[in-house]
Amino acid sequence: MLSYTLRRAGALLPVLLVVSVIIFSLAYLTPGDPARTTLGPEALEVDVQNLRDSMGLNDPFWVQYFRWILNAIHGDLGTSYFLNMSVAEAIGQHFLPTLQLAVLTILYALVISIPLGTLAARWRGSIFDRGVAGFTLIGLTFPSFVLSLILVIAFSVWLHWLPVAGYRNPFSDPWNGMRYLILPALSLGTIYAAVITRTVRASVLDVLKSEYVDAARSRGVNETRLLFAHALRNAGLPIITMIGLSFASLVSGAVVAESIFNIPGIGSLLVNAIERRDYPVLQGVVLFLTCVYLGLNLLVDLLYGLIDPRVRLSDAGAK
Amino acid sequence: MNMPLKIENLKISFGRGAVEAVRDVSLELRPGEILALVGESGSGKSLTARSVLKMFPEGAVVDGRISLTGDNVLEASPNDLERLRGEAAAMVFQEPSTALNPVFTIGWQIGEGLKAHGMRDPRERRARAVELLRDVDIPDPETRVDCYPHQLSGGQKQRVVIAMALALRPAVIIADEPTTALDVTVQAGILDLLRRCRDELGSSILIITHNLGVVADLADRVAVMYQGRIVEEASSTALFSSPKADYTRRLLAAVPRLGQGTAKDDNTSRERLVLVADQLEITYPSRFGRTPVPAVKSVSFDIAAGEVLGLVGESGSGKSTIGRAVVGLSPVTGGAMRLFGADLRHVKGESLRQLRRRVGFVFQDPASSFNRFMTVFDCIGEPLRVHRALSSSSEFRSRVLELLDQVQLPREMATRYPGELSGGQRQRVGLARALALNPEFIVADEPTSALDVSIQAKVLELFRALQKELGFAALFISHDLAVVEEIAHRVGVLRHGQLLELGSARQVMSSPSDDYTRLLINSVPVPDPLAQAKKRMLAGSIS
């Protein structure tokens, strides 16, 4: 298992390298001069040149790249042109709300999708199965921003149960923190619940057709246990892949929900950075999200190994 | 006498009676008896067997009565059913690698059956699992109990499946083609194990098989099924010596038998060699940091024009690897493989294309070797198209139709899709495709092992006739000695990637010089109960 882990982790390094070069050159090649932007249109050309020198913008591409990547490895992603703080600090501040939202969303999606998908596969073709199919269709096609507005109107405006928008840190204020996160999680999570339900149903169905399920049944194992103890683990690989992908896209793609519910997350940080040509923040956030993405992929790979002994033991030579 | 299993007037149909798969089958299994249910694919034998545990495919409509140790299975409640399954009757499946769940240890899986029948204590379950593994001769059961299925060999996996069936000492064991997926030398051991289950535990066994050698080896009584009906039921000695039903006679006649004097001497002239393997070595690239193990090592043989060389071996012997190397599907990494005089290691691009044009390939499984969205016409014509062999479309068309004639398929088949054909018809299409470019050499990789015996007999006859008529040389790969004996002029025996023996078919089959060849020949059960019993006694007294 250790060598498997190291191998999987090692495979990520080249990816990270290529991505970092792309991130850096994107910002490098984008038209617009950060020095000019910082000083404003009225500034003198001499001052702009001086600032360019002190920012290192006149150095060759590779020099700039290596300076940037070496600093990044040490945790120094530069300083924001606008926020008056280091990029690392900005990411730290904005990542927590996004992470909390993502975790809550995925939990909600899983609580819905795993039982629904498994039971829909168990009772394939039944009314229950058709109901689940209907739910997933609606969940997939209904735009999440429309859903969020409906939820806000229902739970905040009419019922006054939950706040309309905003954010409190659940660690310092658990009760209110959760209240603020529920609506965004519901509106974001429904689409993931639908997607994962479909994956669960399809892969459980696939496993239920296999002979080892029949074989266990022929030994008198009852249907419930067959479903949850035998089949679900085999069906786990595609499900975990789906969960990993969903979670990764949640972390990087919660922009819409964050702006609707006014959550100071990583999405809003990124959007602002783009609007203001805040290159250090832009690069830092994208690099950071890449790392999160790769980290999640690694986690999924490791979970594969945990679930499926053929992955884990394939190089142990135990034959 | 109280019968462990009694099936009365069983009828199973699908699609609201549109397809009658089992028609009015009645069977009795006596205590301590081994009853074989014989038939070809689609005869309804597996359905009948699975109905004993009420395991039907979706959409089956069932009628009749099945009494298992006194309980009526078809009307049992779900709870009763769970009790009967495993306790009154247990099942051994055809393919052990799919009958075991890959993500759980074998100990856990054996334990699941025990747990379902009330054994609560995990330590007790584990101890029982170890004991069962020991009973089925798994070496070192205390360690193996924690193994995952992929860590065991095919034969060991089947032993585990049998151990699971034995777990609760059921009155009836249903074995559905228990040795079909295994090599012959392994098959003998599994058959012995099943016999021991009967002798030592007194279980009655219902064995489903299409292999008459297995029937002769094991069964006391035989029921022959054909198109959903039982056409003959007799004691095994009576059935083999004086079959009554027409179908049984045809079935017995179609079985290829070893040593029937059909083996050929080698009298082809060796002036023109089509294929020469010289110290051939094939090593698949392995993962970084691990020493690659050669799949084929220092194998030398040659095939003369118009000669059929049979390559025999068990799974993993490297026989298919050699066949695939001829057409460049596996890499030649050492020695030389010369096809029409050109060294395959150094031929590339256009000259490789020209070489491939002169070779036809027949794949093992006709079901998966065709693009199912292409008509039979397009499948057969594809090699002609790829090599731009014929200029006009009328020539093209007449060539394809001619090929259909050659493989004795009606011309109307041209517009059908492979999925609409039977296995035998599909393999004829495969043969036609291989012959499309008039090759001088054909590689046939287990071309009949996916087919029923009677169909296999016809396809083999066709192959032999075409070979004689068209005079192509062939590399014929098979695990079935009897088939190779019928087809090949010379035979090579492979094991673990090494060629152990090479000689004329007659010489290899009647006086093999290598021990392994002898073991291989002796492991094949003879479709004759008396001869097989004698052979077993003989083998028993030697060991």
Side-chain angles (χ1 to χ4, degrees), chain A residues 7 124 211-212 214-215 217-222 225 229-230 233-234 307 309-310 312-314 318-319, chain B residues 50 58 82 85-86 93 98-104 108-109 112 115-117 148 150-151 164 287:
Chain A
R7 234 170 344 104
R124 185 162 68 105
E211 195 163 63
Y212 50 79
D214 256 355
R217 185 178 289 131
S218 82
R219 273 173 264 135
V221 177
N222 71 45
R225 194 164 167 78
H230 291 240
R233 181 154 163 193
N234 294 81
I307 287 186
R310 285 167 300 181
R312 173 171 15 122
L313 300 173
S314 62
K319 253 205 157 121
Chain B
R50 284 179 175 234
E58 229 168 299
E82 274 157 25
R85 289 174 176 167
F93 292 81
T98 61
L100 294 171
N101 192 327
V103 305
F104 294 105
W108 186 89
Q109 294 187 56
E112 277 293 289
K115 190 174 176 185
H117 293 276
Y148 290 93
H150 74 277
Q151 297 170 306
M164 289 178 178
R287 243 193 262 165

Side-chain angles (χ1 to χ4, degrees), chain A residues 8-255:
Chain A
R8 298 314 311 170
L12 297 181
L13 285 178
V15 180
L16 201 55
L17 189 75
V18 171
V19 170
S20 70
V21 171
I22 293 174
I23 292 171
F24 184 76
S25 39
L26 270 182
Y28 181 82
L29 297 171
T30 322
D33 182 353
R36 166 68 70 189
T37 319
T38 314
L39 295 176
E42 308 288 306
L44 292 170
E45 187 59 27
V46 185
D47 295 336
V48 174
Q49 273 309 323
N50 283 340
L51 185 62
R52 285 181 65 85
D53 272 339
S54 68
M55 287 167 91
L57 292 173
N58 286 331
D59 292 335
F61 175 80
W62 287 108
V63 173
Q64 290 192 45
Y65 169 73
F66 278 110
R67 187 164 52 220
W68 176 68
I69 198 73
L70 279 176
N71 286 334
I73 290 169
H74 292 106
D76 176 10
L77 291 165
T79 311
S80 165
Y81 296 158
F82 294 95
L83 295 175
N84 238 339
M85 61 169 99
S86 77
V87 174
E89 223 176 312
I91 291 175
Q93 269 182 20
H94 288 80
F95 185 57
L96 192 66
T98 302
L99 185 66
Q100 287 162 345
L101 178 60
V103 169
L104 198 66
T105 305
I106 220 73
L107 280 182
Y108 156 68
L110 288 184
V111 166
I112 299 281
S113 60
I114 292 202
L116 277 193
T118 312
L119 292 174
R122 165 81 174 82
W123 295 311
R124 185 162 68 105
S126 67
I127 294 178
F128 180 81
D129 184 24
R130 270 177 250 167
V132 170
F135 159 73
T136 57
L137 191 67
I138 294 171
L140 278 172
T141 49
F142 210 73
S144 71
F145 64 90
V146 178
L147 183 63
S148 10
L149 294 180
I150 294 174
L151 288 173
V152 167
I153 291 172
F155 290 99
S156 314
V157 180
W158 291 345
L159 295 169
H160 296 291
W161 287 356
L162 296 164
V164 177
Y167 172 78
R168 300 273 184 285
N169 187 352
F171 289 121
S172 48
D173 183 1
W175 168 245
N176 276 316
M178 284 311 279
R179 275 167 36 93
Y180 276 99
L181 281 175
I182 285 176
L183 285 186
L186 287 186
S187 58
L188 254 181
T190 303
I191 188 165
Y192 293 104
V195 173
I196 300 174
T197 303
R198 291 204 160 181
T199 313
V200 172
R201 179 182 178 275
S203 47
V204 169
L205 212 53
D206 222 35
V207 174
L208 285 182
K209 274 189 215 137
S210 57
E211 195 163 63
Y212 50 79
V213 170
D214 256 355
R217 185 178 289 131
S218 82
R219 273 173 264 135
V221 177
N222 71 45
E223 296 295 323
T224 319
R225 194 164 167 78
L226 263 182
L227 202 58
F228 288 99
H230 291 240
L232 203 52
R233 181 154 163 193
N234 294 81
L237 294 191
I239 297 174
I240 284 189
T241 311
M242 204 64 226
I243 294 173
L245 287 176
S246 306
F247 194 72
S249 78
L250 265 174
V251 168
S252 55
V255 183

Side-chain angles (χ1 to χ4, degrees), chain B residues 522-533:
Chain B
N522 277 326
S523 306
V524 180
V526 192
D528 175 347
L530 298 175
Q532 179 60 24

